[in-house]
C-alpha cells in the first residue's frame, strides 16, 4: 500500500503546466520592434486560428506574429524564416500521387466496412482528385468518416467540396505568407538587416 502511494505521488509531481498558445507575440520581438497592444494581439490570435492545419508545423505562431508586424506595423523581421516557411508550404501543396488517393479511399472503405472501388472506379477518383495535395487527405478522411451518414464510399463530389475549400484556404494563406516575405525583404533592403 505504501509503495502505491509513493509511486502515485511521484507521478503526480511530474505534471507540467500546459503551454499557452496564441500569446507568442506578448514578449516576442527583435531589437527595435514595438510590443503589441491587446487589440493587435487579438488580431494575431485570429490569424493563428485561420492558419490551415496543413501548415501548423511549418508556420509557427511566432512567424504569424512576424507576418502581422511586417504587414501592419511595417517593422523589420528576419526574412530567412519566411523563405524557409514558404518553401516548405509550397512543397506541402504539391499534387498527390495515385497511391495517396488509394490509401485515402481504402481507409474510408475500411472504416465503413464497404468494398473499395475497382480499377475503373479508382481511375475516376484519381482523375478528379489528382490536383490536390496529399497532405489534405488525412483531413478529408476524418471529415468524411465523422460526417458522412451512409456506410459506403461517398461520391467524388463529397471529396471535391471539402478539398476545394481547404485547398483554397491553404493557397490564400501561402499567398499571404509570400507577400509578408516580400514585404520583409523590401524592408530589410531599405532599412538594413536585423
Amino acid at each position: 500500500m505504501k509503495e502505491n502511494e509513493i509511486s502515485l505521488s511521484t507521478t503526480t509531481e511530474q505534471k507540467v503546466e500546459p503551454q499557452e498558445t496564441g500569446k507568442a507575440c506578448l514578449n516576442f520581438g527583435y531589437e527595435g520592434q514595438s510590443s503589441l497592444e491587446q487589440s493587435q494581439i487579438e488580431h494575431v490570435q485570429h490569424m493563428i486560428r485561420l492558419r490551415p492545419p496543413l501548415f501548423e508545423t511549418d508556420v509557427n505562431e511566432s512567424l504569424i506574429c512576424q507576418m502581422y508586424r511586417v504587414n501592419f506595423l511595417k517593422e523589420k523581421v528576419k526574412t530567412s524564416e519566411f523563405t524557409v516557411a514558404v518553401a516548405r508550404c509550397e512543397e506541402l501543396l504539391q499534387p498527390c500521387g495515385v497511391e495517396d488517393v488509394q490509401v485515402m479511399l481504402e481507409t474510408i472503405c475500411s472504416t465503413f466496412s464497404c468494398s473499395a472501388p475497382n480499377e475503373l472506379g479508382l481511375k475516376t477518383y484519381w482523375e478528379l482528385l489528382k490536383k490536390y495535395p496529399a497532405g489534405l487527405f488525412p483531413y478529408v478522411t476524418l471529415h468524411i468518416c465523422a460526417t458522412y451518414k451512409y456506410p459506403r464510399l461517398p461520391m467524388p463530389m463529397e471529396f471535391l467540396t471539402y478539398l476545394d475549400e481547404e485547398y483554397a484556404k491553404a493557397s490564400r494563406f501561402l499567398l499571404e505568407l509570400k507577400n509578408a516575405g516580400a514585404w520583409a525583404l523590401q524592408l530589410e533592403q531599405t532599412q538594413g538587416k536585423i
Side-chain angles (χ1 to χ4, degrees):
M1 183 87 163
K2 182 86 169 158
E3 190 175 304
N4 286 343
E5 290 175 17
I6 292 171
S7 66
L8 181 60
S9 67
T10 305
T11 57
T12 55
E13 289 173 10
Q14 294 177 357
K15 286 186 178 177
V16 179
E17 288 289 317
Q19 242 184 345
E20 278 191 60
T21 59
K23 302 224 182 225
C25 291
L26 285 177
N27 296 319
F28 185 85
Y30 300 108
E31 190 176 317
Q33 288 185 327
S34 60
S35 58
L36 299 179
E37 297 173 7
Q38 185 59 36
S39 63
Q40 294 170 322
I41 291 171
E42 289 170 5
H43 188 98
V44 171
Q45 289 171 338
H46 178 72
M47 289 172 67
I48 290 168
R49 284 189 299 274
L50 293 178
R51 171 185 52 194
L54 181 62
F55 298 150
E56 281 181 3
T57 304
D58 299 297
V59 181
N60 60 28
E61 294 176 1
S62 168
L63 188 58
I64 291 176
C65 182
Q66 296 308 306
M67 285 174 66
Y68 178 84
R69 289 181 180 283
V70 163
N71 288 333
F72 297 101
L73 305 178
K74 305 302 181 221
E75 292 182 352
K76 293 188 300 182
V77 297
K78 291 184 178 178
T79 57
S80 60
E81 294 176 19
F82 284 101
T83 305
V84 170
V86 165
R88 184 68 185 118
C89 290
E90 285 177 333
E91 200 175 289
L92 289 171
L93 286 181
Q94 292 300 310
C96 65
V98 70
E99 63 280 350
D100 299 313
V101 173
Q102 278 181 299
V103 168
M104 177 180 62
L105 295 176
E106 288 171 4
T107 302
I108 293 169
C109 289
S110 174
T111 302
F112 289 151
S113 297
C114 63
S115 58
N118 60 21
E119 193 172 327
L120 180 62
L122 180 60
K123 282 183 182 180
T124 302
Y125 276 94
W126 163 244
E127 285 302 316
L128 293 169
L129 301 175
K130 67 183 178 183
K131 73 175 187 177
Y132 298 103
L136 291 177
F137 289 175
Y139 302 107
V140 74
T141 301
L142 290 174
H143 172 75
I144 285 176
C145 289
T147 61
Y148 198 65
K149 298 175 185 173
Y150 309 104
R152 61 179 170 76
L153 187 64
M155 298 300 290
M157 183 52 86
E158 296 288 333
F159 293 91
L160 296 175
T161 302
Y162 183 83
L163 286 168
D164 279 341
E165 185 178 322
E166 293 303 311
Y167 187 62
K169 285 180 195 174
S171 296
R172 274 193 308 274
F173 186 86
L174 178 58
L175 182 62
E176 290 171 13
L177 185 64
K178 284 180 177 180
N179 288 340
W183 269 108
L185 184 61
Q186 185 177 3
L187 288 170
E188 185 178 271
Q189 291 172 345
T190 59
Q191 299 174 4
K193 286 191 175 190
I194 292 181

